[in-house]
Amino acid sequence: MTEVGRKYVFDFDSTLTRVEALDVLAEMTLQGKSNRDAVIHEIQEITNLGIDGDISFTESLERRIKLLKANKDDLAPLVDELRQKISKSIAANKEFFEKYSEDIYVISCGFKEFIDPIVKEYNIPSDRVFANTFKFDEEGNIIGFDEKNVLATHNGKIECLKQLDLEGEVQVIGDGYSDYVMREAGIAHKFFAYTENVHREKAADKADHVTPNLDEFLFVNDLPRSLSYPKNRIKILLLENVHPVAFDNLSEDGFSVELIEESLSEDELIKKIKGVHVLGIRSKTRLTPKVIDAANKLLVVGAFCIGTKQIDLDYCKKKGVVVFNAPYSNTRSVVELAIGQIIMLFRNVFTRSTELHNGIWNKTAVNSREVRGKNLGIVGYGNIGKQLSVLAEAIGMRVYYYDIEDRLAMGNAIKCETLEDLLNVSDVVSLHLDDNKANHNFIGEREINQMRDGAMLLNLSRGFVVEIPALVEALKGGKLSGASIDVFPHEPKSNGPFASELQGIPNVILTPHIGGSTEEAQRDIADFVPNKIMYYINSGNTVDAVNFPNIRLPKQNKAHRFLHIHRNVPGIMAKINDVLATYEMNISGQYLSTDSDVGYVITDLDRDYNKEVIKALKKVENTIKFRVLY
């Protein structure tokens, strides 16, 4: 049981539940009324005035009940609704309420009629719930409240707690100033401002501790909890203007998230990354060994893009840092841009557009051709290459492809055994290569000379795969009749000035690395990558990690989970299990995956553990990282 004498006093509205119950009741009883929104808004304003102590609570109650026009029959549906509105971290820690129920009290200015049935499910009996009660008329209409109840008066919570005369340390957990006053009056020892549902400055400024969720409260008090480490203490840094949905997804799951619009230099990132558990980047931020060494708490990196060449994957793995990317989320966006650019190149659209912008009308069919019947050569037949193959064939193009891997053809596409074969046959070549260093200057003077006279080139893959001076020479000399370049060997860190030798050449489309930059793609990435991050942080799953052994874990079922990352040398599993046996731990499940460098073992345990076992597991030779999940 809890330490002798400590008592926990909880508020109800906006603490145990995510909502103010009377506000919910108003939404129900005013349904269909023409003035519903205005009345609800007025009730909410009165609620806040009372909570912050700006009007007497008696006045707050009187004014709201007059506006409610509720009946006793409305209370059962209200309770059903409130059951769905329990605060997330409260519901996740139901075991705490059941185990410590003798030391838990509810003091609320709400009403027992709807509080009792809710907290009863958390093992809190009615005699430890102190709240107001309604008055009803003969038809069951709510016409008022018991004015004699001390909680119906201004600062009634102070008097209520005084009358309880609880022994030992009293801790109050609530969202409003009306909860803090018990601490101010000296009858409570600590006040925890509960901000999971609403952050009231007047309460938070006065609090001994601001508590974004119940996990934080339990962590501070060293009490049993659903998570060994509160999510609000896990710091996430998102760079390069990652889509705001990613911020929302991670914040809503309880993490502390900071969003920075631009990329950071190595020195800037070294200063910023200390204490960060999760880093989210796009293509411009470089994650070097020096940065990784400075990241003293880093667990996982999310690349909100396809490529990972900006990340030292091997060094991350060596340090036990898992990396996820978004290999599929922007595929369609890149393919659609490629199709559009192919059509615009064949129609010479940008040349005509530039002429019009310069005041020249030049209506002509010269160098303007359909794409139907033309040969498209796709270099790199991965996810993007295959989708491009299908769409290009659908608009009447003949598709050829080349890939160093043995790839199955889509539709009627024809596989070329060599790059030269593809270049010889293609009217337009589209590059979709990965960030392998071997692809540096993949297309240079020699390869361009192997292309058909008057052919065109697209690069929506990596900036370093095309030798730009050779391309410029081929375009100016007439060997190639057009090009579309979305990626460049050197790209600015942020939006602003840009210069390239390709500027000003007719029938050359230049775009600022926007192949995957559509609202749909960025939204998909902002869902996909955070989900992978959250699965890893919350459960240890490494499915789709690009640098780590992949393990798909079952959902925890009232078990403790130990996550152990180690160098892949013989005997580590035996040493881990020797430690667990020494401390008489009963293993309910164990999962191991390795690659040539590291091993990742997850152990589920079905009983409480001595904290000394954690120290022992961290000391196992060749341990890289160790983490505990409850």
Side-chain angles (χ1 to χ4, degrees):
M1 295 302 292
T2 186
E3 65 182 63
V4 177
R6 187 186 288 177
K7 299 293 184 291
Y8 309 103
V9 176
F10 281 85
D11 180 37
F12 182 78
D13 294 284
S14 295
T15 299
L16 292 179
T17 60
R18 303 195 298 269
V19 293
E20 294 288 323
L22 290 187
D23 293 353
V24 176
L25 183 58
E27 292 175 2
M28 296 169 61
T29 59
L30 295 168
Q31 190 73 35
K33 301 288 178 64
S34 60
N35 62 340
R36 175 177 179 268
D37 290 344
V39 175
I40 289 173
H41 180 70
E42 186 177 354
I43 288 173
Q44 290 171 341
E45 285 191 332
I46 296 168
T47 297
N48 290 328
L49 289 171
I51 288 172
D52 288 339
D54 294 329
I55 62 174
S56 75
F57 199 78
T58 306
E59 180 185 349
S60 170
L61 272 183
E62 288 173 344
R63 289 171 60 183
R64 283 183 289 165
I65 286 175
K66 283 180 182 177
L67 291 167
L68 275 173
K69 302 191 182 308
N71 186 278
K72 183 181 288 187
D73 292 341
D74 297 316
L75 296 178
L78 172 63
V79 169
D80 289 339
E81 185 69 19
L82 293 178
R83 284 195 178 102
Q84 310 304 314
K85 305 288 187 182
I86 302 296
S87 298
K88 286 173 64 176
S89 67
I90 300 290
N93 287 285
K94 196 170 184 178
E95 188 177 348
F96 161 73
F97 290 92
E98 293 170 347
K99 189 173 182 179
Y100 291 84
S101 64
E102 293 180 7
D103 303 309
I104 296 173
Y105 296 77
V106 175
I107 297 181
S108 170
C109 292
F111 290 81
K112 284 180 71 70
E113 284 85 353
F114 55 74
I115 296 176
D116 275 358
I118 299 295
V119 301
K120 182 181 179 182
E121 297 173 15
Y122 284 75
N123 207 28
I124 303 172
S126 180
D127 62 5
R128 282 201 292 279
V129 175
F130 300 88
N132 285 295
T133 54
F134 288 121
K135 278 185 178 179
F136 305 93
D137 65 15
E138 292 179 358
E139 284 77 36
N141 296 311
I142 297 174
I143 56 172
F145 52 90
D146 180 8
E147 295 93 342
K148 295 178 183 178
N149 189 325
V150 67
L151 286 163
T153 63
H154 186 56
N155 284 341
K157 288 186 175 183
I158 295 175
E159 189 57 36
C160 179
L161 189 54
K162 276 183 182 176
Q163 291 176 8
L164 281 174
D165 194 24
L166 300 177
E167 295 182 0
E169 181 182 309
V170 176
Q171 297 188 355
V172 173
I173 308 97
D175 65 285
Y177 188 79
S178 61
D179 301 301
Y180 162 70
V181 293
M182 291 181 273
R183 167 80 166 87
E184 184 181 46
I187 52 173
H189 298 84
K190 290 182 181 176
F191 168 62
F192 291 80
Y194 195 83
T195 61
E196 180 173 358
N197 307 305
V198 60
H199 190 288
R200 302 185 194 278
E201 292 293 342
K202 199 168 180 180
D205 289 346
K206 300 287 187 179
D208 295 289
H209 197 92
V210 176
T211 307
N213 47 58
L214 190 64
D215 295 298
E216 173 71 11
F217 170 77
L218 299 175
F219 179 81
V220 169
N221 283 291
D222 196 23
L223 292 164
R225 52 200 176 272
S226 62
L227 296 173
S228 58
Y229 196 69
K231 290 182 184 180
N232 58 281
R233 289 179 176 246
I234 294 178
K235 293 175 63 177
I236 298 180
L237 177 62
L238 301 179
L239 304 179
E240 299 187 62
N241 204 24
V242 166
H243 196 286
V245 167
F247 178 92
D248 295 340
N249 287 340
L250 293 164
S251 297
E252 286 171 12
D253 203 48
F255 300 106
S256 295
V257 189
E258 181 180 359
L259 188 62
I260 295 178
E261 290 189 358
E262 65 274 359
S263 63
L264 298 180
S265 68
E266 184 178 68
D267 288 341
E268 290 170 330
L269 192 51
I270 285 171
K271 292 176 183 176
K272 190 73 178 174
I273 204 168
K274 187 175 181 181
V276 170
H277 299 87
V278 179
L279 178 66
I281 62 173
R282 294 175 72 182
S283 57
K284 289 185 172 62
T285 301
R286 296 191 59 78
L287 206 55
T288 64
K290 286 175 69 176
V291 173
I292 297 164
D293 283 338
N296 60 326
K297 292 189 177 180
L298 192 62
L299 299 172
V300 57
V301 174
F304 286 73
C305 52
I306 295 176
T308 55
K309 73 180 180 69
Q310 71 278 32
I311 303 167
D312 192 320
L313 296 176
D314 290 337
Y315 201 73
C316 280
K317 180 164 65 173
K318 180 181 176 182
K319 291 289 188 175
V321 177
V322 180
V323 179
F324 295 100
N325 69 337
Y328 315 112
S329 298
N330 64 3
T331 302
R332 177 71 183 199
S333 297
V334 176
V335 170
E336 287 190 4
L337 183 62
I339 289 288
Q341 290 179 340
I342 289 168
I343 293 171
M344 286 188 284
L345 286 174
F346 273 97
R347 294 297 299 272
N348 220 347
V349 168
F350 267 65
T351 302
R352 300 289 85 82
S353 177
T354 301
E355 289 169 349
L356 275 183
H357 277 288
N358 292 328
I360 300 170
W361 182 276
N362 183 20
K363 182 177 179 180
T364 176
V366 175
N367 294 325
S368 178
R369 295 168 289 160
E370 291 184 352
V371 300
R372 180 176 50 177
K374 304 302 186 297
N375 295 346
L376 167 64
I378 300 174
V379 182
Y381 207 61
N383 297 314
I384 293 173
K386 286 179 179 177
Q387 274 205 41
L388 177 59
S389 175
V390 171
L391 291 189
E393 193 172 314
I395 60 174
M397 301 189 79
R398 291 187 292 266
V399 178
Y400 298 82
Y401 71 93
Y402 169 75
D403 199 299
I404 59 173
E405 301 287 340
D406 189 16
R407 307 277 192 181
L408 183 66
M410 304 295 288
N412 296 312
I414 298 169
K415 179 181 178 181
C416 294
E417 296 301 326
T418 67
L419 175 63
E420 184 175 359
D421 288 344
L422 180 136
L423 297 175
N424 288 166
V425 76
S426 300
D427 296 307
V428 56
V429 173
S430 189
L431 305 177
H432 301 283
L433 303 167
D434 61 25
D435 52 11
N436 192 314
K437 292 179 181 178
N439 291 329
H440 184 76
N441 284 345
F442 188 86
I443 300 294
E445 182 181 1
R446 178 175 176 273
E447 289 72 28
I448 290 173
N449 286 333
Q450 291 170 349
M451 295 175 68
R452 286 182 168 184
D453 290 345
M456 303 178 195
L457 179 69
L458 277 76
N459 184 16
L460 288 91
S461 58
R462 304 291 184 270
F464 59 77
V465 304
V466 175
E467 189 179 343
I468 297 298
L471 175 61
V472 170
E473 184 178 340
L475 289 163
K476 289 183 175 179
K479 170 64 179 175
L480 299 183
S481 64
S484 182
I485 305 298
D486 184 53
V487 289
F488 301 86
H490 304 287
E491 297 179 1
K493 285 178 60 179
S494 57
N495 293 340
F498 173 74
S500 170
E501 300 166 74
L502 292 163
Q503 287 168 326
I505 302 175
N507 207 24
V508 172
I509 303 171
L510 304 180
T511 49
H513 202 152
I514 58 170
S517 296
T518 61
E519 291 181 7
E520 293 87 351
Q522 294 307 305
R523 175 63 187 259
D524 286 346
I525 291 171
D527 283 329
F528 183 86
V529 177
N531 281 338
K532 292 299 176 183
I533 290 170
M534 289 186 286
Y535 287 151
Y536 178 64
I537 293 292
N538 295 340
S539 70
N541 267 301
T542 54
V543 175
D544 294 327
V546 295
N547 70 328
F548 231 73
N550 276 211
I551 295 184
R552 187 183 300 277
L553 294 164
K555 188 175 181 180
Q556 283 177 279
N557 185 23
K558 293 186 177 179
H560 304 292
R561 179 165 284 176
F562 288 178
L563 313 178
H564 191 278
I565 301 169
H566 55 270
R567 294 180 183 87
N568 188 13
V569 297
I572 299 294
M573 277 291 289
K575 291 176 181 177
I576 289 172
N577 287 333
D578 282 346
V579 170
L580 297 174
T582 299
Y583 286 90
E584 300 181 340
M585 304 301 298
N586 188 32
I587 298 173
S588 59
Q590 197 165 46
Y591 316 89
L592 169 68
S593 185
T594 63
D595 63 16
S596 58
D597 301 308
V598 301
Y600 182 40
V601 60
I602 294 91
T603 306
D604 285 348
L605 307 152
D606 63 3
R607 55 160 286 178
D608 289 339
Y609 58 86
N610 183 329
K611 290 184 179 178
E612 293 300 315
V613 71
I614 295 176
K615 295 178 183 177
L617 287 169
K618 287 181 177 179
K619 289 180 181 177
V620 169
E621 193 175 358
N622 291 302
T623 295
I624 298 173
K625 263 189 172 64
F626 177 81
R627 191 159 61 98
V628 177
L629 294 179
Y630 279 97

